[in-house]
Amino acid sequence: MLTLGCARNEVDSEELAGRLAGGGWELVDGEADPDVIVVNTCGFVESAKKDSVDTLLAAADTGAKVVAVGCMAERYGTELAESLPEASAVLGFDHYPDLAERLGDVVAGHAVASHVPVDRRTLLPISPVERQQAAAEVTVPGHAWGPRIERKRLDDAPVASLKIASGCDRRCSFCAIPSFRGSFVSRLPDEVVAEGAWLAAQGVRELVLVSENSTSYGKDLGREHAGDRALEAVLTRLAAIPGIDRVRVSYLQPAETRPNLVRAIATTPGVADYFDMSFQHSSQPVLRRMRRFGDTDSFLKLVGQIREHAPAAGIRSNFIVGFPGETEEDFAELVRFVTEARLDAVGVFGYSDEDGTEAEDLPGKLDADTVAARVARLSDLVEELTAQRAEERVGSEVVVLVERLESEEDDCAGRAAHQAPEVDGECVLVAGGPVEVDDLAVGDLVRCRVVDSEGVDLLVEPLELLPRTAPGPA
């Protein structure tokens, strides 16, 4: 099984692996000679789609049968199948419960009808409070948890993603995700906590909560599940699971991030003081064209609230540069926000048209050279500012989860609370403290002193190996 795209896809792949194992299939590594290769594709932006097609073609070159699943397969279905005959089948989310049988058909040489795309927002009621019962009749990837465990871990890393919701009700003009991921639907808190406990029993010490929009969690669950404070409540429960040392939230919408949620993330023991904020821009006119809310001053106020509770909190975001109609004044406003906010990690992306989105037809498109120039200017600025932010941490103490041991090619490294997996910097453990680096193991939690920085990465000396709490029953 090959997985492309985001952490949400990784959760979906582990669910699919569990379903396939339950259906009699054996998962093999890349060195083996498989009968079939399942590619969990990404269909978010053009570069991701290209990566998915390239991976499907490379898989077909092995001689194995190839099956495409995931977002690109869901989004394009029959169109993808017609343009990519190398794939033996293109299956959508509704095929997931019967994937073991469909793979059997593929290996046996039987034709499997390709997925026919639909707007998945039409599959659930418009009213969020009416969705929970209806969602039981709709396949929602990453939500299959119950008496029979449907998830199988695909690695032994001490950190794992945990899906708390799927879909999105927002209508951002540049984003097509709701059309193929569907309307927003939360997972029940007891189910989320049960899966968190199961992950702890597998050796996981950090849970990363993922969704398309975590700040909407619970809006479809009703008052019996803590109402508009459902996310704070489930965070507290997850942080109390024996064996779990850190819970991290991702994908927060600034316009929906309330003061009580800021306080809960910044101050709840066991919850990382880390804020993955989806700002996208800060110029009010650009945000309105994006069908989003906020402006530079309101976003700076939010950043101030976060740092009032936790001055060392990690804050990251992504920004789209060159959106249709973006003027030099709009870009200057974004530069002002980035300069004053002093974020810890920033992704900068140049705007490009996306199939089926409102922005595709907006006037005021900027030429490619202008977009590229603004991307370069902002990228250079954030590289300097994030490096300064990391340098300010020299002399402080951080708690590092070790994820990689020293070898000829790599250092011993891990992440502190202000660093999320893959997207942010890391902590490189160096000799000099009372704990020997060579004595550490993957999964250790270590109190460290920051002695230097390299860009967004920190060099840290290990001071104390923190005790590991035994996980409870799964």
Side-chain angles (χ1 to χ4, degrees):
M1 177 169 287
L2 304 176
T3 306
L4 296 97
C6 64
R8 300 184 293 275
N9 252 19
E10 293 171 2
V11 175
D12 296 350
S13 284
E14 293 197 346
E15 179 189 287
L16 290 177
R19 289 185 183 276
L20 291 172
W25 288 88
E26 179 186 359
L27 189 70
V28 297
D29 61 29
E31 302 300 319
D33 184 20
D35 297 301
V36 61
I37 298 174
V38 177
V39 181
N40 191 352
T41 61
C42 178
F44 181 40
V45 293
E46 199 60 39
S47 60
K49 288 182 250 183
K50 182 180 183 303
D51 288 344
S52 294
V53 170
D54 289 346
T55 301
L56 287 163
L57 292 173
D61 286 343
T62 67
K65 302 283 188 179
V66 177
V67 173
V69 299
C71 291
M72 190 176 182
E74 175 65 34
R75 185 176 181 184
Y76 295 104
T78 50
E79 180 184 345
L80 177 63
E82 291 169 1
S83 62
L84 198 73
E86 292 85 353
S88 300
V90 176
L91 306 180
F93 298 155
D94 293 332
H95 288 99
Y96 284 12
D98 303 315
L99 187 61
E101 290 84 353
R102 298 293 76 75
L103 294 195
D105 292 338
V106 167
V107 171
H110 303 312
V112 178
S114 299
H115 165 66
V116 178
V118 298
D119 187 333
R120 294 191 73 84
R121 289 171 294 192
T122 64
L123 303 182
L124 292 173
I126 294 176
S127 173
V129 296
E130 298 176 358
R131 288 181 191 158
Q132 282 297 316
Q133 184 173 357
E137 307 300 320
V138 176
T139 301
V140 183
H143 286 221
W145 185 268
R148 185 168 69 90
I149 293 174
E150 296 283 8
R151 182 169 181 175
K152 177 181 176 64
R153 295 215 66 202
L154 297 178
D155 60 39
D156 56 359
V159 56
S161 295
L162 174 59
K163 189 173 284 192
I164 61 172
S166 288
C168 187
D169 288 341
R170 301 183 71 89
R171 293 295 181 265
C172 299
S173 62
F174 56 82
C175 183
I177 288 176
S179 66
F180 58 87
R181 277 289 184 176
S183 298
F184 183 88
V185 57
S186 304
R187 297 181 68 192
L188 294 173
D190 286 350
E191 185 178 300
V192 172
V193 174
E195 187 168 347
W198 179 83
L199 287 167
Q202 310 305 305
V204 171
R205 300 190 75 174
E206 178 179 323
L207 300 173
V208 181
L209 308 189
V210 299
S211 70
E212 275 74 28
N213 178 7
S214 296
T215 37
S216 284
Y217 179 76
K219 74 174 187 178
D220 54 330
L221 296 179
R223 292 189 177 278
E224 65 269 29
H225 295 292
D228 63 357
R229 297 203 171 192
L231 181 55
E232 296 97 286
V234 82
L235 278 172
T236 301
R237 292 181 63 186
L238 290 169
I241 294 175
I244 296 299
D245 295 285
R246 182 185 290 162
V247 181
R248 184 184 305 276
V249 189
S250 58
Y251 306 108
L252 301 174
Q253 289 289 343
E256 299 177 21
T257 303
R258 304 173 302 277
N260 55 290
L261 178 59
V262 171
R263 187 181 309 108
I265 294 175
T267 64
T268 301
V271 176
D273 49 355
Y274 176 82
F275 294 81
D276 177 14
M277 307 300 306
S278 178
F279 289 120
Q280 302 299 347
H281 211 283
S282 73
S283 167
Q284 188 177 64
V286 174
L287 287 166
R288 291 297 178 271
R289 286 194 294 277
M290 289 180 170
R291 295 203 178 278
R292 297 173 67 86
F293 302 95
D295 55 33
T296 297
D297 292 332
S298 65
F299 289 168
L300 288 174
K301 181 179 178 181
L302 176 56
V303 170
Q305 290 173 352
I306 292 170
R307 292 196 170 132
E308 181 180 349
H309 289 292
I315 309 176
R316 87 167 320 273
S317 192
N318 294 322
F319 297 99
I320 298 174
V321 176
F323 194 77
E326 181 190 68
T327 64
E328 277 292 347
E329 290 75 16
D330 294 324
F331 182 71
E333 191 69 359
L334 177 56
V335 167
R336 178 169 81 89
F337 172 69
V338 169
T339 301
E340 296 184 26
R342 300 180 65 78
L343 306 178
D344 293 87
V346 176
V348 180
F349 301 91
Y351 171 81
S352 61
D353 287 336
E354 186 57 32
D355 296 343
T357 62
E358 181 184 350
E360 189 178 20
D361 298 320
L362 286 178
K365 297 288 176 62
L366 279 64
D367 64 82
D369 289 344
T370 299
V371 175
R374 290 181 184 176
V375 167
R377 285 163 59 190
L378 190 64
S379 297
D380 288 345
L381 175 62
V382 299
E383 182 177 358
E384 178 183 353
L385 292 172
T386 54
Q388 289 175 5
R389 178 74 173 157
E391 188 176 3
E392 291 168 1
R393 296 183 185 274
V394 174
S396 66
E397 290 189 1
V398 293
V399 175
V400 176
L401 178 63
V402 178
E403 297 183 56
R404 189 176 74 243
L405 294 181
E406 189 171 7
S407 66
E408 291 183 3
E409 297 82 16
D410 292 319
D411 301 309
C412 178
R415 293 174 300 101
H418 71 281
Q419 298 166 320
E422 298 183 9
V423 294
D424 301 337
E426 64 180 7
C427 292
V428 178
L429 291 94
V430 298
V435 176
E436 294 291 337
V437 175
D438 290 344
D439 293 338
L440 298 176
V442 170
D444 281 344
L445 206 63
V446 189
R447 184 171 62 87
C448 301
R449 179 188 299 111
V450 181
V451 295
D452 203 353
S453 64
E454 294 180 352
V456 294
D457 296 334
L458 303 179
L459 303 184
V460 300
E461 293 177 347
L463 303 177
E464 178 188 10
L465 181 62
L466 301 178
R468 180 189 291 264
T469 58

